[in-house]
Amino acid sequence: MAGRVDPPEGQPEGGSGGGEDDYRSLVFDESFIQAARLQEFSAQERLDDEEHAAVRSRPPSGPDSGTSRSGFGFSRQGVVLVLLIVIAFGTAIYMGIRNPYQSAPRPSAEPMRLDLLPLAPRGAVPGATPADLYEHSPAAQFRTGADGVTLPPARRSKHFSESQVLAALTGAKDYVVESSLDPDVLTGGAVRPVRILLTPGQQRQFDRSLDSPRNDGRHLATGWMVRFDPAKTALADPKVRVNGTLSVREAGSNALEVTADHVFVYAVRPTDAGKGKHAEKGASLFTVRREVRFHFDRDDLRTHQLSVRQVSMRAGPMACSADPSDALKPLLAGERAKDDGPAGTDPYARGRSMASMCGVMAASAQPSPDRPSR
C-alpha cells in the first residue's frame, strides 16, 4: 500500500507536523464539495442576515438530483404523476360521455288492444243462491280464486333460462289474479294493484283509459281489468270460479310472450241502491272468457313488470247496447236483453256500432232456469 505523499505544490508554508500529518492524504476535490449537503455561510452572509444559521442545507445538484433548475422545487416524478392523473380523469369523462356501449333507451310500449264481445241471453237471466247456481252450471268443476290460475312447468328456452321463463309465467299469473279476481278491483274500488304491474309506458295508457274511457279498442278500462258498476252490481260471492291455462313462448331472442286464457264465473247481485222488481230473484252468474297476451323483455323480467299487448273478451249475460268502456254491466237475475241484437245492424252505418259486435249466449252457459231458488 502506498504511503503518504506531499501535495504537488510541496509542503504548505507554516505547515507543521504532528497530528495534522495524519489527514494530509484527504483531498477534497470539486465533486466532493458539490456533493456536500451542508454549507457554511460566509462571514459576509452572516452579517447581512443575522437570522441565517451557521450552516444551511444545500440543494442537491447535478443531472441525477431530480430537482428542477427553474427554482420551483417540483420533482420530475411529481409533475409526471400529476399529468397522468389529469389525462386519466379526462379520458374517463370523455368515455362516459361518448361510451359506445351505453344501453339504448327503451322503446315506447306498444299500446294495449282490446276486442270485447257482449253476449246477450236468449231469455230471462236465471236467479238463485250462488251455491245452487254454481252447482248447476259448467263452473261446478272449476277451482276457486287464484288456485284456478295454475302455472305450467317452466323450462328453459333457446335464449332464456328456466328462472327467466318462470319469472314471466309468475308475472302473468299475478296480473291475471289482480285484474280478474281481486274483490276491490272487481267492485271499482282499487286500480293500483293492476297499475303497478305495468311498464311505465303502459301505465300512461292505463291512466288515460281510466280518466277518459271510450270504446275505441285501446282506452277501455275493462280491457285492463274486470270490474262492475258499483252503483248497480255487487258480488254475491267473493269466491270466483276459474278455469284456464298459461303458455309461454319466445318472441325473438330478447323477449318472452305469455298467453293467459281463462274463464271466470262471478256470482253477482243488485246493489241495495239498484234493487228493484228483480231483487227477489237472488243472485245470477256472469261469465267472462278472457284471453290476454303479455310481452316481457329482459328489462321487464328484471323489474318485475310487463306489457299487455292484446286482450280478447267474451262477456255475458249483457245487453248488446251496454257501454263497457268504464265498467261491465251484467244483466241480473230476472232481466232480459232488449231486441237490439245483430239482426238490427245497419251494414252501411259508419262508426263503431255496439250492435255489430254482439253475440248470443248459449243456453248451456247458464244454469237451468227451471231450478228453484233457495
Side-chain angles (χ1 to χ4, degrees):
M1 180 174 178
R4 295 192 301 271
V5 295
D6 291 334
E9 296 81 8
Q11 181 71 22
E13 291 184 9
S16 61
E20 293 182 358
D21 293 340
D22 296 335
Y23 300 97
R24 288 179 180 175
S25 61
L26 298 178
V27 178
F28 298 97
D29 57 8
E30 182 66 21
S31 62
F32 178 84
I33 295 173
Q34 292 294 333
R37 301 293 296 177
L38 298 177
Q39 181 182 9
E40 184 179 1
F41 289 100
S42 66
Q44 185 62 41
E45 286 177 327
R46 289 196 295 270
L47 289 174
D48 293 340
D49 187 358
E50 62 183 11
E51 291 183 3
H52 275 317
V55 294
R56 64 180 174 185
S57 296
R58 185 187 183 112
S61 61
D64 299 327
S65 64
T67 302
S68 173
R69 294 183 180 273
S70 62
F72 292 103
F74 293 114
S75 66
R76 292 190 183 94
Q77 291 87 345
V79 173
V80 172
L81 179 61
V82 171
L83 289 175
L84 288 175
I85 292 174
V86 172
I87 293 172
F89 187 71
T91 302
I93 295 176
Y94 175 80
M95 293 300 293
I97 298 174
R98 300 291 300 275
N99 184 7
Y101 301 103
Q102 285 181 334
S103 58
R106 295 182 64 181
S108 57
E110 182 177 322
M112 182 272 291
R113 300 175 185 274
L114 172 67
D115 170 25
L116 192 154
L117 180 70
L119 300 177
R122 293 182 180 275
V125 177
T129 64
D132 188 54
L133 292 169
Y134 282 133
E135 182 181 353
H136 299 93
S137 77
Q141 305 302 319
F142 289 5
R143 293 184 178 183
T144 301
D147 292 339
V149 187
T150 57
L151 295 179
R155 298 184 177 91
R156 66 174 295 115
S157 62
K158 183 177 180 181
H159 300 99
F160 291 87
S161 66
E162 179 180 329
S163 62
Q164 290 174 316
V165 173
L166 179 60
L169 288 168
T170 303
K173 175 178 179 175
D174 291 343
Y175 189 92
V176 170
V177 171
E178 296 296 342
S179 65
S180 308
L181 300 174
D182 186 337
D184 291 335
V185 173
L186 295 175
T187 55
V191 297
R192 187 175 184 276
V194 179
R195 186 182 188 276
I196 60 176
L197 297 175
L198 299 169
T199 59
Q202 284 213 322
Q203 286 179 1
R204 290 188 285 272
Q205 185 187 3
F206 179 89
D207 295 338
R208 290 193 296 269
S209 300
L210 294 181
D211 294 339
S212 301
R214 54 190 183 274
N215 190 17
D216 61 355
R218 294 190 180 187
H219 296 94
L220 283 82
T222 49
W224 302 102
M225 53 195 165
V226 176
R227 68 176 188 169
F228 304 108
D229 184 353
K232 298 180 179 180
T233 307
L235 293 176
D237 185 355
K239 297 179 180 179
V240 182
R241 301 299 177 95
V242 187
N243 185 46
T245 61
L246 285 167
S247 60
V248 61
R249 71 176 187 88
E250 283 194 2
S253 60
N254 291 310
L256 289 171
E257 182 179 284
V258 178
T259 301
D261 187 1
H262 294 85
V263 175
F264 305 92
V265 183
Y266 306 90
V268 295
R269 62 172 178 81
T271 61
D272 294 337
K275 284 183 178 180
K277 61 181 180 179
H278 302 295
E280 71 280 0
K281 300 293 184 179
S284 60
L285 296 185
F286 185 78
T287 304
V288 176
R289 172 72 179 271
R290 193 164 185 245
E291 182 178 336
V292 187
R293 182 164 56 88
F294 302 98
H295 181 88
F296 297 83
D297 62 25
R298 297 185 184 275
D299 286 335
D300 297 336
L301 296 174
R302 178 178 52 83
T303 59
H304 306 289
Q305 293 178 310
L306 53 83
S307 295
V308 179
R309 292 294 177 85
Q310 179 73 40
V311 179
S312 297
M313 293 177 61
R314 306 293 181 266
M318 191 164 63
C320 294
S321 58
D323 182 5
S325 301
D326 182 53
L328 298 174
K329 299 174 177 62
L331 289 172
L332 301 174
E335 294 182 333
R336 296 174 178 267
K338 296 179 180 180
D339 188 14
D340 57 358
T345 300
D346 180 2
Y348 296 96
R350 293 182 176 272
R352 191 179 181 92
S353 171
M354 287 300 301
S356 64
M357 296 182 297
C358 189
V360 177
M361 195 167 192
S364 60
Q366 286 289 300
S368 176
D370 57 359
R371 297 293 300 181
S373 301
R374 296 180 184 178

